[in-house]
Amino acid sequence: MIEFKYQCSECSREYNITADIMVCPECSKMQEPDKPLLGILEVVFDGHFHHQPKMSDLLPVEAEYFPKIPVGGTPLWTPANIADELGFPNLYIKDDTHNLTGSLKDRASYLVAAFAKREGIREIVMASTGNAASSMAGVGAAAGLNITIFLPESAPRAKMVQSLQYGANVVLVAGNYDRAFDLSLEFSRKSKNVLSRNTAYNPLTIEGKKTVSLEIYQTLKRSPDFVFVPTGDGVILGGVYKGFRDLQKMGFVDKIPTIVAVQAEGSNAIAKAFKDGGFTEIDAHTVADSISVGIPRNGYYALKQLKQYNGKCVTVSDEEILIAQKELSSKAGLFTEPAAAASYAGFLNMRAEIPNDAIVVLLATGNGLKDIDSAIKGVEFPKKTITSLDEL
Ligand SMILES: *Cc1c(COP(=O)(O)O)cnc(C)c1O
């Protein structure tokens, strides 16, 4: 039998996994405004498997509660033209644009939805800049849950339309993501039987994202050497580490890969803290809206993992992101949103330090059609219309 618990990543206190606990009640008492969350809880497991474990055995919610939808199991493939051109034969893309709603966020929403089903909760509330919202809206729709979303009014329209199409209750906030975050927490505290899916705050958002690492292992049968992770709040980063740490704990892999947090130059809070030690709120600006974050909610936890496992941080400019996006589209046939292309941009910046035979995985975290306004910046529209071929 395997038993799952929450354990505080700071004080190591343990708690049962219930719907009314989100961050460590003790450590979060010291929470300062405008800083990453204190008392991030981690799912830990204890006990022995009596059979060769399946991936679902490593999740804290039983398989029967998950909606029957295609989340995870995404392809890991080599972009041959790029791999040949750069001389990296073992370059892979973990293509999470294939998820139900087109982003990696579905892995977190999937676990949160299953947990809500198990606990008999009918409504989920959250704040998001876009993908987490559209993901919870879509996964929640399939699971028969009511979803309420607090969105900053600047959220890309496609992601807003996606959420509305899925039938979510969308509340537009005159203000930024941080304001939406606070309002959504207030809403979940005031309502009964409502679960928050705020990223990092709900520990299952980190835990759910670990499945991306479990799948990379399932395909490669080993740890890769490098994994490039586009990073905003640092929840995907935390999840990627958690997956490989679980695999190491079970004896499946002997090493944790070198994880590279890729941030935009204009939204580099984690990279900055990695260098100078502390977090100060930044005024985030980048074309990659999904990694545009002033206060990374999972900053302390992400930083601790990066330090402990010799991870790296790399920053990329908006121009480099847009060039990387266009290259992935035109050389690999993979149209990603800018945040997702950041992992490739980060690899291009760092590749001189990486041995050519290294196994390198780039996380492609979101589909390009989610943010057309940014993608337009990387292309030129035809300047004129024609009436006959003679005009070509
Ligand atoms: C959310 C998101 C990220 C960043 O994840 P964090 O957990 O905020 O670091 C990267 N790419 C895409 C497409 C996302 O939706």
Side-chain angles (χ1 to χ4, degrees), residues 198-370:
N198 278 4
T199 195
Y201 180 70
N202 184 328
L204 299 179
T205 56
I206 305 176
E207 183 71 2
K209 288 174 182 174
K210 81 176 183 184
T211 57
V212 74
S213 302
L214 304 184
E215 289 173 15
I216 290 170
Y217 164 75
Q218 267 190 330
T219 312
L220 296 177
K221 306 280 183 271
R222 53 162 288 174
S223 274
D225 298 308
F226 291 85
V227 183
F228 284 79
V229 183
T231 301
D233 278 310
V235 176
I236 298 181
L237 188 85
V240 168
Y241 268 121
K242 179 60 169 37
F244 286 111
R245 284 167 48 215
D246 280 0
L247 289 164
Q248 191 180 42
K249 177 174 166 176
M250 311 255 311
F252 288 132
V253 302
D254 50 12
K255 70 160 191 185
I256 305 287
T258 301
I259 312 275
V260 185
V262 185
Q263 295 210 281
E265 272 172 5
S267 175
N268 64 346
I270 290 178
K272 211 162 141 279
F274 190 65
K275 224 165 74 200
D276 3 299
F279 284 94
T280 41
E281 185 178 3
I282 56 169
D283 183 18
H285 282 292
T286 166
V287 65
D289 73 283
S290 297
I291 51 172
S292 182
V293 173
I295 308 160
R297 300 289 156 178
N298 202 28
Y300 295 131
Y301 179 90
L303 199 61
K304 189 169 157 186
Q305 311 288 308
L306 283 167
K307 294 240 150 109
Q308 189 170 346
Y309 296 100
N310 284 318
K312 293 187 187 304
C313 290
V314 58
T315 55
V316 290
S317 67
D318 277 4
E319 196 191 345
E320 287 169 327
I321 289 173
L322 291 174
I323 290 170
Q325 181 189 30
K326 185 76 196 323
E327 274 196 22
L328 279 180
S329 301
S330 61
K331 294 181 180 173
L334 177 69
F335 182 27
T336 68
E337 64 168 273
S343 51
Y344 177 50
F347 168 67
L348 288 177
N349 275 7
M350 248 188 75
R351 73 180 196 276
E353 301 167 38
I354 299 178
N356 281 73
D357 60 352
I359 300 180
V360 177
V361 176
L362 312 176
L363 291 193
T365 46
N367 187 292
L369 291 171
K370 282 170 162 288

